[in-house]
């Protein structure tokens, strides 16, 4: 999956965002990557596990993230914690089985599957303050 090297800050001239995608289903991740690319943003990393997401957060900066809440046998709450600690906005993606978030993430934005171009764009725009 696509990955940019180094650090990135949103391009103020184009509003291009560097986005972390955490999604364990490869076809869904590829669809998200296509949507994000069509919107003119960059995929900084697309990963399918908590460990890989945490490693990417340590390795580079992101403008925002899309987190699939359920990653097989694990949840992405530790990733949400790490992003919040760094002030990086994120949206929690779910197929409808949204386990009640901790108080820390009670106000987190959600993105319901199945994804559409429009609902992904609306989430990115809301996180980016557009």
């Amino acid at each position: 999956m696509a990955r940019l090297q180094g650090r990135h800050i949103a391009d103020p001239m184009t509003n291009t965002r560097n986005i972390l995608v955490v999604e364990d289903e490869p076809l869904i991740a590829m669809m998200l990557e296509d949507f994000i690319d069509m919107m003119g943003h960059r995929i900084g990393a697309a990963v399918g596990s908590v460990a890989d997401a945490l490693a990417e957060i340590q390795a580079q900066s992101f403008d925002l993230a899309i987190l699939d809440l359920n990653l097989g046998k694990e949840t992405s709450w530790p990733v949400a914690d790490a992003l919040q600690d760094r002030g990086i906005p994120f949206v929690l993606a779910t197929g409808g089985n949204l386990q009640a978030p901790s108080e820390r993430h009670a106000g987190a934005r959600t993105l319901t599957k199945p994804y559409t171009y429009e609902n992904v764009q609306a989430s990115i725009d809301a996180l980016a303050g557009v």
Side-chain angles (χ1 to χ4, degrees):
M1 300 203 172
R3 179 190 164 140
L4 296 176
Q5 297 295 323
R7 299 198 173 270
H8 179 268
I9 303 294
D11 183 338
M13 299 300 289
T14 64
N15 291 322
T16 299
R17 306 284 184 223
N18 189 40
I19 300 174
L20 169 64
V21 173
V22 182
E23 171 60 63
D24 63 327
E25 294 292 334
L27 291 177
I28 295 173
M30 288 179 3
M31 180 182 67
L32 274 174
E33 288 182 50
D34 287 345
F35 286 171
I36 291 166
D37 183 58
M38 290 174 10
M39 291 172 202
H41 301 298
R42 295 184 184 117
I43 301 293
V47 298
S49 72
V50 169
D52 289 344
L54 293 174
E56 289 295 338
I57 292 167
Q58 289 292 328
Q60 63 177 312
S61 292
F62 297 97
D63 297 306
L64 56 96
I66 299 173
L67 309 179
D68 180 10
L69 184 57
N70 295 306
L71 303 171
K73 296 180 181 181
E74 60 184 349
T75 63
S76 58
W77 293 121
V79 179
D81 291 344
L83 290 167
Q84 190 169 34
D85 289 347
R86 288 165 179 76
I88 301 169
F90 60 89
V91 62
L92 296 171
T94 178
N97 298 338
L98 182 62
Q99 127 190 33
S102 66
E103 186 175 318
R104 182 175 188 191
H105 301 299
R109 184 173 186 83
T110 58
L111 175 61
T112 305
K113 295 178 183 178
Y115 300 126
T116 65
Y117 182 89
E118 292 77 16
N119 69 12
V120 172
Q121 184 171 31
S123 291
I124 289 171
D125 288 350
L127 291 176
V130 175

